[in-house]
Amino acid sequence: KDFLIRNEIIPIELEEDFLTVAASHPDNENLLSGIGRYVNTDVEFQVALAQDIIDAVEQYYDRSLTDEVEVAKLERDVDEERHEREEFEREGEFYEEEE
């Protein structure tokens, strides 16, 4: 996220071995080598407004974090239900043994 905002870039499409990146300054000489540290594809740049790029990056990462929190809640709920079911089953076995 920091790299994207600092360089005012965002990937917009990946097709096979070809990445399209929106950049506010696609003529930046260090941009291609910086991206090359993260991906091993050919890169094509398209010009975009810096604020639009930053907004898109923030929106994507905020949504991703929200999704991660929701997934964590669901996993916790599933674990709690599994634990309750296992406990219920153990209690059922206990009562069967007493009879």
Side-chain angles (χ1 to χ4, degrees), residues 38-68:
Y38 297 96
V39 298
N40 189 23
T41 63
D42 291 329
V43 177
E44 173 188 62
F45 292 105
Q46 293 186 359
V47 178
L49 297 174
Q51 192 59 54
D52 290 344
I53 292 169
I54 292 168
D55 290 346
V57 170
E58 293 289 347
Q59 181 181 3
Y60 173 79
Y61 277 91
D62 288 348
R63 187 179 71 232
S64 293
L65 291 175
T66 301
D67 290 348
E68 288 178 21

Side-chain angles (χ1 to χ4, degrees), residues 32-95:
L32 191 56
S33 63
I35 294 171
R37 287 183 282 167
Y38 297 96
V39 298
N40 189 23
T41 63
D42 291 329
V43 177
E44 173 188 62
F45 292 105
Q46 293 186 359
V47 178
L49 297 174
Q51 192 59 54
D52 290 344
I53 292 169
I54 292 168
D55 290 346
V57 170
E58 293 289 347
Q59 181 181 3
Y60 173 79
Y61 277 91
D62 288 348
R63 187 179 71 232
S64 293
L65 291 175
T66 301
D67 290 348
E68 288 178 21
V69 168
E70 291 300 316
V71 167
K73 286 179 184 178
L74 289 172
E75 288 174 343
R76 187 176 60 240
D77 290 347
V78 167
D79 287 344
E80 288 175 5
E81 287 180 23
R82 182 180 303 123
H83 177 71
E84 289 174 4
R85 184 176 55 244
E86 289 171 352
E87 193 172 299
F88 178 76
E89 289 172 355
R90 278 194 299 272
E91 288 176 3
E93 290 172 5
F94 177 74
Y95 290 127

